[in-house]
């Protein structure tokens, strides 16, 4: 479970957050749940600074570089209503500046210490570039070679995947939250993303609860027990309900059974995609359904700002 010093830090942070929340408006609270990134806009220099004054921005996606992040952070702290810093997040899958072997290749070492060391080096480099949160490790068990994202995970074996998952989280995060040269980890994709029918990305997953618990959840549980700060929802639907609106998956299993205490973020556009799934009649309904199911942060855009 979380190391004791982490629990102390978490409790102190929670107390500060609770005090801060008492001074915030509803729209400012929702703004903290809204993430923006250059990858979703045609203008590469658009960082939505106009959201600062109204408190409608909580984090950035794929905005990196010490000079840029420092400049944006100074403006964010100065211009937001409560001086809340933005959180800079990025995908750091197998290296940041230094290219590491892919997770699938690292799993072939059968040596979790290799994974831990590689992620620690990646974290140090990302930290220097202003990134404090990574959307990794990807711990999806995948047994269909037609699925293109199989290379991002640690393979087909649940026991090995769990060992590598724990090592990756520890490598990214270090011994305690906020440690210099380490960054927060966000495990993905919850859950059973690697079991999409026909190996087709974003497709449906039809699965028994026994298979879900025996095969696909163990790597997540290992990462949670190592103290992973976040988890990302998956694109697909699980037994007919999109993961980003799946109350049974996100509340009953993730929160109650797995005991996960961290933050839940949607994958990129996974909430809007629920319209294409035929689950939500509009994007507005999709945003409402995702929030009701337990999604804390929207990746990405103004969906929560404009709807909730």
């Amino acid at each position: 479970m979380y190391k004791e010093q982490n629990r102390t830090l978490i409790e102190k942070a929670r107390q500060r957050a609770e005090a801060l929340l008492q001074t915030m408006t509803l729209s400012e609270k929702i703004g903290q749940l809204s993430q923006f990134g250059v990858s979703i806009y045609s203008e590469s220099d658009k960082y939505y600074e106009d959201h600062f004054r109204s408190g409608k921005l909580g984090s950035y996606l794929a905005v990196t570089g010490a000079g840029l992040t420092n400049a944006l952070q100074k403006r964010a702290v100065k211009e937001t209503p409560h001086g809340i810093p933005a959180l800079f997040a990025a995908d750091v899958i197998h290296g940041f500046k230094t290219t590491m072997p892919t997770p699938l290749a690292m799993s072939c070492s059968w040596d979790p210490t290799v994974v831990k060391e590689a992620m620690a080096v990646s974290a140090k480099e990302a930290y220097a570039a202003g990134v404090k949160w990574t959307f990794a490790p990807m711990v999806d068990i995948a047994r269909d070679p037609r699925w293109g994202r199989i290379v991002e995970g640690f393979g087909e074996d649940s026991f090995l995947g769990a060992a590598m998952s724990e090592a990756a989280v520890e490598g990214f995060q270090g011994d305690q939250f906020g440690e210099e040269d380490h960054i927060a980890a966000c495990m993905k994709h919850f859950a059973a993303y690697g079991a999409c029918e026909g190996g087709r990305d974003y497709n449906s997953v039809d699965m028994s609860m026994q298979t879900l618990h025996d095969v696909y959840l163990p790597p997540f549980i290992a990462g949670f027990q190592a103290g992973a700060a976040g988890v990302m929802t998956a694109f697909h639907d699980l037994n007919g309900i999109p993961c980003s609106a799946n109350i049974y998956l996100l509340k009953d299993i993730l929160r109650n059974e797995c005991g996960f205490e961290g933050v839940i973020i949607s994958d990129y556009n996974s909430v809007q995609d629920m319209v294409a799934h035929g689950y939500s009649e509009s994007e507005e309904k999709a945003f409402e359904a995702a929030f009701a199911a337990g999604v804390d942060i929207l990746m990405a855009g103004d969906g929560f700002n404009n709807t909730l």
Side-chain angles (χ1 to χ4, degrees):
M1 299 303 290
Y2 288 120
K3 297 174 182 177
E4 195 56 42
Q5 60 265 38
N6 278 346
R7 288 201 173 277
T8 301
L9 288 170
I10 292 169
E11 186 55 35
K12 288 182 178 179
R14 187 167 286 151
Q15 291 173 2
R16 291 173 60 192
E18 289 293 341
L20 181 60
L21 284 169
Q22 301 305 313
T23 69
M24 296 173 69
T25 66
L26 179 59
S27 63
E28 290 166 355
K29 295 174 185 177
I30 294 170
Q32 289 300 305
L33 311 183
S34 303
Q35 184 174 92
F36 296 84
V38 293
S39 61
I40 61 172
Y41 303 110
S42 58
E43 305 97 334
S44 61
D45 59 347
K46 187 173 184 180
Y47 302 109
Y48 273 61
E49 298 98 317
D50 60 329
H51 282 40
F52 288 169
R53 291 185 180 88
S54 54
K56 290 187 174 181
L57 186 150
S59 57
Y60 279 109
L61 166 67
V63 177
T64 66
L68 177 58
T69 57
N70 284 339
L72 288 172
Q73 195 69 285
K74 287 178 181 178
R75 286 197 60 182
V77 171
K78 181 179 179 180
E79 298 178 23
T80 54
H82 302 278
I84 302 173
L87 183 60
F88 291 88
D91 285 291
V92 184
I93 305 298
H94 58 104
F96 188 79
K97 287 296 184 181
T98 303
T99 302
M100 303 292 178
T102 66
L104 186 61
M106 281 192 275
S107 74
C108 297
S109 70
W110 293 87
D111 186 355
T113 60
V114 170
V115 174
K116 183 175 180 178
E117 183 177 359
M119 300 313 177
V121 171
S122 302
K124 184 175 182 178
E125 294 179 348
Y127 183 95
V131 175
K132 299 299 183 288
W133 185 21
T134 178
F135 297 129
M138 191 189 99
V139 299
D140 298 306
I141 296 298
R143 296 176 173 178
D144 189 335
R146 294 174 295 181
W147 190 52
R149 299 192 67 172
I150 195 170
V151 70
E152 295 179 59
F154 296 112
E156 63 182 4
D157 184 81
S158 300
F159 181 82
L160 177 63
M164 297 302 188
S165 172
E166 178 183 8
V169 170
E170 291 178 347
F172 279 127
Q173 296 192 165
D175 293 328
Q176 66 181 37
F177 291 127
E179 185 176 344
E180 186 175 0
D181 292 333
H182 287 84
I183 58 181
C186 180
M187 305 177 68
K188 61 184 186 184
H189 306 79
F190 201 78
Y193 186 39
C196 290
E197 292 180 2
R200 296 186 182 97
D201 209 16
Y202 295 30
N203 205 357
S204 299
V205 172
D206 185 3
M207 178 176 293
S208 71
M209 289 298 100
Q210 179 173 346
T211 301
L212 178 68
H213 283 77
D214 287 353
V215 177
Y216 293 91
L217 291 185
F220 283 99
I221 294 172
F224 298 154
Q225 291 177 341
V231 68
M232 183 186 296
T233 62
F235 285 110
H236 65 278
D237 71 78
L238 179 63
N239 296 337
I241 302 177
C243 292
S244 292
N246 198 313
I247 294 175
Y248 176 71
L249 183 65
L250 299 183
K251 291 189 175 181
D252 293 352
I253 294 180
L254 179 58
R255 293 296 192 192
N256 297 334
E257 291 185 23
C258 297
F260 179 67
E261 299 174 351
V263 67
I264 302 173
I265 185 169
S266 66
D267 205 343
Y268 181 81
N269 269 355
S270 67
V271 175
Q272 295 91 316
D273 287 347
M274 294 196 297
V275 178
H277 274 285
Y279 183 80
S280 300
E281 62 184 25
S282 67
E283 288 192 355
E284 289 75 16
K285 293 295 184 183
F287 296 132
E288 292 175 12
F291 185 73
V295 172
D296 297 313
I297 298 177
L298 178 70
M299 180 199 294
D302 272 310
F304 277 2
N305 283 331
N306 295 338
T307 302
L308 299 183

